Amino acid sequence: MAYDVEAPKYVRLAQTIQQRIEDGTYPPGTRVPSENQLVQAFGMSRPTVVRALELLKRDGWLESRQGYGTIVRGRPAVVEHKDRRGNEALVRDETQTPGRLVEVGRVPVPARVASALGLPKRAKVLVRRFLVVEDGEPVELVSSYFPVGLVEGTELESAQLLSGGTRVHLEARKKVRFDHVTERISARLPERGEAELLELPDGVPVLGVLVVAHDASGQALQVSDVLLPADRQELEDTYRLT
């Protein structure tokens, strides 16, 4: 039996504010109501309001300006590049990717994923973990997490390789629409199981890209934790000086 888990209050508040930005109630360049005003308007606690605002700042909808308050930035710019890790995690066709599916099943939601999906700590999520191999060497470990209610009636819980990518599959089967992606990059030492799968010597760190895919309302549909061996990566970016 499946249970629908209501998103935390701060996530619901963030979604409401985001909708008001999109419908023009809070136009880009203007200040959002103060924390006190939001507390009174929505009947929520100050910590809840603060967490909602921080979530919107993290995802690019708002920004803080010293001496002026919290400003509306508008919809975050969505730039799709074929070499973006986030895009790869959504469109990767497992049947056409060298490597293997190492895990499929329902697991307790990791803390970093719970926050992104707006789920309580003890909730269960579906994980699909795929190891990408190039020239016989593991180069990427992708763990994709989905709310249990979203994957019912799909092939995501199957141990068979998925054709077409998770985005195409979910949009076709569940009538959801992926709208934008946020990515957070960090470095850490791998857990023992991760190091074994990636064939890493002791002490070699991994680069982690936490990819969160949202619908237009800001609700997270999929979180992918992409791990890359730091000793096998070369990152390059080009930007314009202003």
Side-chain angles (χ1 to χ4, degrees):
M1 180 180 294
Y3 297 91
D4 291 326
V5 181
E6 189 175 41
K9 289 183 178 179
Y10 78 93
V11 174
R12 301 201 304 272
L13 176 57
Q15 291 171 345
T16 299
I17 295 173
Q18 180 182 318
Q19 289 169 0
R20 294 190 178 188
I21 294 172
E22 292 189 300
D23 67 20
T25 303
Y26 302 150
T30 63
R31 284 187 293 182
V32 296
S34 67
E35 292 177 8
N36 285 336
Q37 290 172 325
L38 291 172
V39 167
Q40 295 175 6
F42 293 98
M44 295 185 178
S45 68
R46 183 179 296 276
T48 297
V49 169
V50 170
R51 290 190 70 185
L53 294 176
E54 289 301 319
L55 182 61
L56 290 166
K57 291 174 188 176
R58 185 199 72 187
D59 288 348
W61 293 89
L62 303 175
E63 66 176 330
S64 295
R65 292 184 188 173
Q66 189 172 3
Y68 198 68
T70 302
I71 307 301
V72 177
R73 296 183 62 185
R75 175 181 291 278
V78 181
V79 182
E80 291 202 8
H81 298 294
K82 290 184 178 180
D83 58 348
R84 280 288 182 93
R85 297 291 176 179
N87 191 53
E88 288 181 0
L90 298 179
V91 303
R92 175 176 285 118
D93 187 329
E94 294 173 351
T95 65
Q96 302 297 318
T97 303
R100 69 181 190 276
L101 193 62
V102 296
E103 182 182 1
V104 179
R106 299 188 181 191
V107 298
V109 60
R112 62 189 181 282
V113 176
S115 176
L117 288 176
L119 295 176
K121 294 180 180 179
R122 296 183 180 180
K124 288 290 187 71
V125 290
L126 175 75
V127 62
R128 288 185 71 88
R129 183 166 289 121
F130 192 90
L131 183 68
V132 181
V133 177
E134 293 182 0
D135 298 324
E137 181 179 54
V139 295
E140 188 174 334
L141 180 62
V142 184
S143 302
S144 295
Y145 300 89
F146 308 86
V148 170
L150 181 63
V151 299
E152 291 184 341
T154 73
E155 296 176 11
L156 291 177
E157 291 192 272
S158 170
Q160 301 297 317
L161 294 178
L162 185 69
S163 175
T166 58
R167 174 180 177 176
V168 169
H169 190 71
L170 283 172
E171 288 187 338
R173 292 294 186 88
K174 305 300 287 190
K175 306 306 178 184
V176 296
R177 182 169 180 79
F178 287 69
D179 182 77
H180 60 281
V181 170
T182 58
E183 299 179 9
R184 282 177 283 171
I185 301 175
S186 60
R188 63 174 173 83
L189 289 175
E191 298 175 2
R192 181 176 179 179
E194 296 168 343
E196 291 176 351
L197 285 170
L198 290 169
E199 299 179 7
L200 293 176
D202 291 342
V204 174
V206 291
L207 294 178
V209 184
L210 191 67
V211 180
V212 185
H214 309 260
D215 64 15
S217 73
Q219 177 64 48
L221 303 173
Q222 172 179 337
V223 176
S224 294
D225 193 8
V226 182
L227 296 184
L228 310 162
D231 63 343
R232 304 170 201 164
Q233 301 299 317
E234 181 176 332
L235 302 180
E236 179 177 329
D237 195 10
T238 303
Y239 60 92
R240 185 180 301 277
L241 296 174
T242 57

